[in-house]
Amino acid sequence: GSFFDGTLYLDMAGFYTVYSDMLRRGLIFLGGDLGFQSLVSNIGEAEIKGFETSFAWKATSALTISGSATFMDAEVTELDEGTESNNVGDPIDYVPDFSGTLSANYDFNWSDEMPGFARLDFSYRDKMPYVDLTSFPVENTPQFSDSIGLLDARIGLTSGKINVELYAKNLTNVNKYIDPYRAWNNANRTHPRTVGIKVGLDF
């Protein structure tokens, strides 16, 4: 929907999904020098319930604020006979309960012939689960990533056919686990603060 003479845009969606014969990876121990072998199999049924929304608000002629949010409830509800990697009620791998974004963009002029902008972007994601009872004992599952909130910033200008932008990613230098493999000590971490300049030419 569009409201207040088009200055506010809002959308919402709710969904319910039943996923039959869900695939997942597991490990089988073959013994001796053969060790573990990876196996992809059908484990049973899962349900996914969720709600998502986004908005864009033109607060002034120069300032636009926008954002999004997603809420998810995803779990295994039935198991095929012989499944050893999961239990009923386990969360679905890599699905956070909540994720969202919030942004603010401000347009202005450095001079009469040099338009510019400044922008802030914040993103957040709840911790993500990973369950595999063929890899971990039940008391060590699920494994979780960290909850992660990242702040990015940009400021730029356009002069004729040239545009220049100064940017900073992960401005607060957050250092968190992205992946839920902490028990294996091989989870990726967030990139450190990165600052740079982009130059473009329109032709």
Side-chain angles (χ1 to χ4, degrees):
S2 180
F3 308 93
F4 307 115
D5 295 326
T7 59
L8 175 64
Y9 172 79
L10 177 68
D11 70 65
M12 294 178 287
F15 52 91
Y16 174 74
T17 302
V18 176
Y19 185 2
S20 299
D21 296 325
M22 188 175 77
L23 289 167
R24 75 149 299 136
R25 185 188 71 91
L27 295 176
I28 295 179
F29 183 64
L30 301 179
D33 296 333
L34 297 177
F36 287 92
Q37 177 180 342
S38 178
L39 175 68
V40 177
S41 62
N42 300 99
I43 66 167
E45 187 173 284
E47 291 183 358
I48 305 169
K49 293 173 283 188
F51 172 80
E52 57 187 10
T53 182
S54 65
F55 77 94
W57 175 40
K58 196 167 183 60
T60 70
S61 59
L63 176 63
T64 301
I65 299 173
S66 59
S68 65
T70 301
F71 301 87
M72 299 276 281
D73 181 14
E75 64 178 27
V76 177
T77 53
E78 296 181 14
L79 292 176
D80 289 345
E81 185 177 352
T83 296
E84 298 181 354
S85 59
N86 286 84
N87 289 318
V88 171
D90 284 344
I92 295 180
D93 297 339
Y94 310 116
V95 179
D97 291 337
F98 171 78
S99 59
T101 64
L102 186 62
S103 301
N105 189 92
Y106 186 75
D107 295 316
F108 61 94
N109 290 320
W110 294 96
S111 69
D112 291 341
E113 298 181 354
M114 192 179 295
F117 75 94
R119 183 180 179 93
L120 285 174
D121 294 286
F122 179 74
S123 62
Y124 175 82
R125 188 203 70 195
D126 270 348
K127 59 186 180 181
M128 293 194 308
Y130 182 81
V131 179
D132 180 5
L133 298 177
T134 66
S135 301
F136 305 104
V138 65
E139 60 269 20
N140 292 334
T141 58
Q143 297 286 316
F144 285 102
S145 71
D146 286 324
S147 300
I148 300 173
L150 299 175
L151 180 65
D152 299 338
R154 292 184 288 159
I155 188 168
L157 60 86
T158 300
S159 179
K161 295 184 177 182
I162 298 175
N163 53 82
V164 181
E165 178 181 306
L166 173 66
Y167 67 88
K169 297 182 178 180
N170 190 6
L171 193 60
T172 57
N173 205 30
V174 169
N175 184 14
K176 296 287 186 72
Y177 286 110
I178 298 174
D179 306 314
Y181 307 128
R182 297 165 68 167
W184 288 338
N185 294 321
N186 67 346
N188 294 309
R189 301 186 76 91
T190 47
H191 288 288
R193 181 190 300 115
T194 304
V195 178
I197 296 176
K198 293 171 61 177
V199 178
L201 175 64
D202 294 328
F203 61 90

